[in-house]
Amino acid sequence: MNTLKIFFVLVNVLASGLLQADTTPPQEQVLAPGYGSLQFSAPEPGTYTLPVLGAAADGAVLDMEGKAITLHKLMGDKVVLLSFIYSTCSDVSGCPLATTVLQKIKNRLKKEPELADKLRLLTLSFNPEHDTPEMMKKYGQEFQDKGVEWRFLTTRSEQELQPILDHYKQSIQKVYDKEEKFTGTFSHILRVYLIDQNRQLRNIYSVSFLHPDTLINDVKTLLLAEPKPAEAQVNGLKNAAFEGAGDNKSQYEDNAYETHSIALTDRTGRQTDLLKTVRNPPLGLPAVPVPANNPLTKQKISLGRKLFYDRRLSLNNTFSCAMCHIPEQGFTSNEMATAVGIEGRTVRRNSPTLYNVAYLNTLFHDSRETTLEQQIWGPLLAQNEMANPSIGYVIEKIKNSADYNKLFQGVFHKEPSMETIGMAIASYERTLNSANSAFDRWHYRKFKNALDDKARRGFELFNGKANCSGCHTITPKYALFTDNNNHNTGIGYAEAMGKTGEKQRVQVAPGVYVDVATTLIKSVAETKPNDLGRYEVTQNPQDRWKYKTPSLRNISLTAPYMHNGSLETLKQVVEFYNRGGIPNENLDPLIKPLNLTAQEMDELTAFLKSLTGDNIKELVSDAFAAPIGDAK
């Protein structure tokens, strides 16, 4: 019988309870509490709280099939119990103890399927030289069971493993014999980590405290806790700050409205490794297209990030890219139907989200640009956006900023130019990738409980009766939720051809409205330019009022909708398409009445809300950590 088989037998015997806590193994070593019954009554779940102990670290690992993945990909949707072991460990108070306790937890989960759906067990080897993916698969196959998710992981090398061990303060040392040859064993202190759905450490268990009863109760306590947004902390930042406007105007139409603004001091974040969204795209996204002439590096991304948030890139040093593409508002602007540029100048179209912009074949609502590197110069030079008078003006301004000279030399080995400025900002935008949504985990990873029944019915409608997938495409391996094409839905036609009444209703305060003569409004307002959509690029009459299909990923974060921001909610969007758009001579043939019931529209909306990626808070937190760029 080989060593691995003996270990499996030992673990199964210990987990079955055949050996009690007072059993003394060879060498008079007393078994740890986790092998026997708990010697005290554990507190009831929910009667206590578990403090946040810090962020759970990420790291590159390999699964049992040898597929590269990151630890953070395996966190966020479920509570996680993470243990570090090596397969040949024979210390009964070491790795066998951790595996035995998790085995007991697994057996309990089989009797509590609702809990099993919300908990993931992860076991990572700290001996990658021996514990290859094949070995971890062999090691873990004895512990696999239907309905319980227990993953066994390893790393490519000790070099990739070490940062993970350092972050988790998991100290290990190789044991050498008298001839200074590695014995294949390690000296280590057992630790098991409890990680919540926000990727935060909530408890760390050592030998004396590792017991299935306490671990199960701690997991249930986390799942029972539903902190209010103002109380929940992520990297020291209130959850409420991660989504929506700083001065949230919801319910502004009610005269009982109260402001709920969030101070800038509450918006400090934590920088993250943005390159990982390219190295390992989130579940549901394909490989990120990266131009051969603009490879991504951390230094280039950092430079682009600094430029993106720098107000000095505008004519009067007051306006940055981020002021139209606001991180906590879905990298768009939830507060305005159409954008507002420097000095309050009107922009005729809605700010498109930058989430997953790396995958778009064309850019702007009329598809007039084809690369991110070129696209950035549009808003930099537009008179009603950042208002710079020329390309040379921007370049000279950046050259004369002492903080940028060294950065451009370090990244590009030359001074700022039209080419390198575009490359830098594009590199940052290319990392804003977000997926691994509830839909992705259900559809691509086959986690049956990741999506509720209502959203599943919505997905059936999306692909069937509603035919949304005709433009918002899904493939067997990934889903961009856009065909990267242009369509006429009638929104642009109605805006161009519609007539304004003699009076318009204007809200002047919470719950207070007045009717103002249209002539009076026109006398003080800027003349609104016509918008013919794709026609303005091609001059082809068939392209009148055609606009680019947006991706639906993170759609619940990016209101208002359509090229002109005319629809405020997802419900309004679904109702618009249910009516068949707005008839006109160039209406896209795919747009037609859907005859959805009220319940079906509600189900379709529920599906759309399931498309929010799991790393939104991380990307927004990184944005909050960026310098605002109005000074060195």
Side-chain angles (χ1 to χ4, degrees):
M1 187 177 294
N2 60 37
T3 304
L4 196 57
K5 190 66 175 178
I6 293 171
F7 174 78
F8 291 143
V9 172
L10 173 63
V11 168
N12 286 321
V13 169
L14 291 169
S16 68
L18 296 178
L19 291 180
Q20 301 301 315
D22 58 356
T23 301
T24 304
Q27 299 180 357
E28 301 299 319
Q29 183 180 3
V30 177
L31 288 177
Y35 286 121
S37 301
L38 195 62
Q39 299 303 305
F40 58 89
S41 296
E44 289 295 316
T47 61
Y48 58 96
T49 58
L50 295 165
V52 175
L53 304 178
D58 198 6
V61 296
L62 300 174
D63 64 16
M64 292 185 291
E65 304 302 326
K67 180 182 177 182
I69 196 170
T70 64
L71 284 176
H72 273 186
K73 283 280 191 69
L74 300 172
M75 302 173 185
D77 59 323
K78 296 184 179 184
V79 174
V80 167
L81 281 170
L82 171 65
S83 63
F84 291 86
I85 61 100
Y86 69 106
S87 65
T88 55
C89 181
S90 58
D91 180 358
V92 74
S93 291
C95 306
L97 170 62
T99 307
T100 297
V101 170
L102 295 185
Q103 171 83 329
K104 288 184 175 183
I105 290 174
K106 184 202 77 172
N107 291 337
R108 293 194 188 184
L109 294 177
K110 290 163 60 178
K111 301 176 183 178
E112 299 184 58
E114 290 187 3
L115 181 60
D117 288 338
K118 299 174 182 177
L119 178 63
R120 177 177 294 121
L121 308 180
L122 300 180
T123 295
L124 174 61
S125 170
F126 52 76
N127 185 16
E129 185 177 346
H130 176 272
D131 292 341
T132 61
E134 183 180 9
M135 177 58 69
M136 292 307 287
K137 183 175 184 179
K138 184 177 180 182
Y139 178 89
Q141 65 186 5
E142 297 286 334
F143 305 111
Q144 302 301 301
D145 227 316
K146 188 177 180 181
V148 180
E149 187 181 0
W150 190 351
R151 299 204 182 195
F152 290 81
L153 311 167
T154 188
T155 53
R156 295 184 190 278
S157 65
E158 292 181 1
Q159 288 73 28
E160 289 195 2
L161 172 66
Q162 194 58 50
I164 300 174
L165 298 178
D166 291 343
H167 280 298
Y168 285 96
K169 295 179 171 57
Q170 185 75 60
S171 177
I172 65 168
Q173 290 184 337
K174 290 183 176 181
V175 177
Y176 295 88
D177 61 19
K178 293 180 180 180
E179 298 179 357
E180 297 187 357
K181 291 183 179 180
F182 177 43
T183 62
T185 59
F186 294 81
S187 172
H188 68 98
I189 298 175
L190 179 67
R191 294 282 188 272
V192 174
Y193 302 83
L194 176 64
I195 301 167
D196 68 17
Q197 290 148 307
N198 286 320
R199 301 192 183 99
Q200 299 173 114
L201 293 172
R202 304 302 290 271
N203 213 343
I204 302 173
Y205 307 94
S206 60
V207 173
S208 300
F209 300 98
L210 188 64
H211 194 282
D213 289 352
T214 55
L215 267 67
I216 286 288
N217 280 14
D218 284 355
V219 170
K220 290 181 177 179
T221 293
L222 288 185
L223 293 172
L224 285 170
E226 295 183 359
K228 296 178 181 178
E231 297 170 350
Q233 299 289 323
V234 180
N235 292 338
L237 184 64
K238 293 179 181 179
N239 278 351
F242 282 107
E243 296 176 9
D247 186 9
N248 193 324
K249 292 295 194 300
S250 59
Q251 308 303 316
Y252 193 72
E253 68 279 3
D254 189 338
N255 57 18
Y257 165 84
E258 293 181 4
T259 184
H260 299 286
S261 61
I262 300 171
L264 286 174
T265 53
D266 290 333
R267 292 179 171 232
T268 55
R270 176 176 295 180
Q271 189 171 356
T272 190
D273 177 13
L274 293 169
L275 196 53
K276 67 185 178 185
T277 70
V278 179
R279 288 193 301 256
N280 296 295
L283 178 68
L285 291 175
V288 178
V290 179
N293 67 343
N294 191 23
L296 292 176
T297 67
K298 286 187 177 182
Q299 293 77 15
K300 194 185 297 181
I301 293 166
S302 179
L303 174 57
R305 174 174 172 265
K306 178 176 171 66
L307 288 163
F308 186 87
Y309 295 96
D310 197 330
R311 297 174 185 173
R312 293 173 294 177
L313 265 66
S314 64
L315 176 65
N316 62 359
N317 303 329
T318 62
F319 211 84
S320 70
C321 304
M323 295 177 76
C324 278
H325 302 280
I326 305 167
E328 66 271 31
Q329 297 183 37
F331 281 94
T332 175
S333 176
N334 301 151
E335 299 169 278
M336 298 180 182
T338 57
V340 170
I342 185 175
E343 297 179 339
R345 299 174 188 176
T346 301
V347 179
R348 60 180 177 163
R349 292 174 182 167
N350 177 258
S351 300
T353 179
L354 296 184
Y355 281 128
N356 303 317
V357 71
Y359 296 97
L360 300 181
N361 294 338
T362 60
L363 302 152
F364 293 111
H365 287 291
D366 54 18
S367 294
R368 67 182 182 272
E369 275 294 0
T370 56
T371 72
L372 287 170
E373 285 78 2
Q374 296 163 184
Q375 178 275 333
I376 186 57
W377 288 99
L380 282 172
L381 300 177
Q383 185 271 341
N384 59 348
E385 295 189 53
M386 299 174 83
N388 290 290
S390 69
I391 295 170
Y393 182 90
V394 178
I395 295 171
E396 289 304 312
K397 195 170 189 180
I398 293 176
K399 278 184 181 180
N400 291 328
S401 300
D403 49 326
Y404 278 118
N405 285 330
K406 185 176 179 181
L407 292 172
F408 272 88
Q409 287 291 345
V411 172
F412 295 105
H413 307 295
K414 55 185 175 182
E415 292 182 333
S417 66
M418 182 181 184
E419 178 186 34
T420 57
I421 292 169
M423 283 181 167
I425 297 176
S427 294
Y428 170 63
E429 293 175 334
R430 205 164 267 128
T431 66
L432 300 175
N433 305 310
S434 178
N436 194 29
S437 64
F439 162 76
D440 295 310
R441 295 190 289 273
W442 171 74
H443 186 68
Y444 290 112
R445 195 157 282 167
K446 308 303 180 185
F447 292 168
K448 62 180 182 179
N449 293 314
L451 212 61
D452 63 26
D453 290 341
K454 186 176 183 180
R456 292 180 200 177
R457 292 193 295 271
F459 179 61
E460 292 178 5
L461 291 164
F462 185 91
N463 283 309
K465 184 176 179 181
N467 193 32
C468 307
S469 59
C471 296
H472 300 281
T473 53
I474 300 173
T475 76
K477 293 185 177 180
Y478 60 84
L480 295 181
F481 288 102
T482 175
D483 60 0
N484 274 303
N485 209 334
N486 298 272
H487 299 274
N488 178 337
T489 65
I491 289 279
Y493 166 82
E495 186 177 37
M497 299 301 185
K499 294 183 178 180
T500 307
E502 292 184 1
K503 291 187 176 182
Q504 297 181 44
R505 200 176 193 207
V506 178
Q507 184 174 3
V508 295
V512 180
Y513 298 84
V514 294
D515 291 327
V516 181
T518 298
T519 54
L520 179 59
I521 292 176
K522 287 184 176 181
S523 70
V524 296
E526 180 182 346
T527 301
K528 188 174 182 179
N530 289 328
D531 190 340
L532 295 173
R534 181 66 177 162
Y535 170 81
E536 296 177 8
V537 180
T538 66
Q539 299 295 297
N540 182 345
Q542 297 301 314
D543 287 338
R544 285 176 296 168
W545 306 301
K546 284 186 178 181
Y547 299 92
K548 186 165 64 68
T549 306
S551 171
L552 298 181
R553 287 196 173 276
N554 303 302
I555 191 73
S556 65
L557 306 178
T558 59
Y561 306 104
M562 314 309 278
H563 75 277
N564 60 354
S566 58
L567 301 180
E568 297 179 9
T569 67
L570 283 176
K571 181 180 179 181
Q572 290 177 1
V573 173
V574 173
E575 290 172 343
F576 170 79
Y577 283 109
N578 192 46
R579 294 192 296 270
I582 298 173
N584 66 89
E585 61 181 297
N586 288 333
L587 182 68
D588 195 287
L590 291 173
I591 308 296
K592 53 188 176 183
L594 304 175
N595 300 313
L596 300 176
T597 66
Q599 178 179 330
E600 287 173 330
M601 287 192 286
D602 193 36
E603 290 167 346
L604 185 54
T605 303
F607 165 69
L608 295 174
K609 291 179 178 179
S610 77
L611 300 179
T612 302
D614 73 336
N615 63 336
I616 294 296
K617 291 177 182 177
E618 187 177 0
L619 293 176
V620 174
S621 181
D622 176 83
F624 287 173
I628 58 173
D630 55 1
K632 182 175 179 180

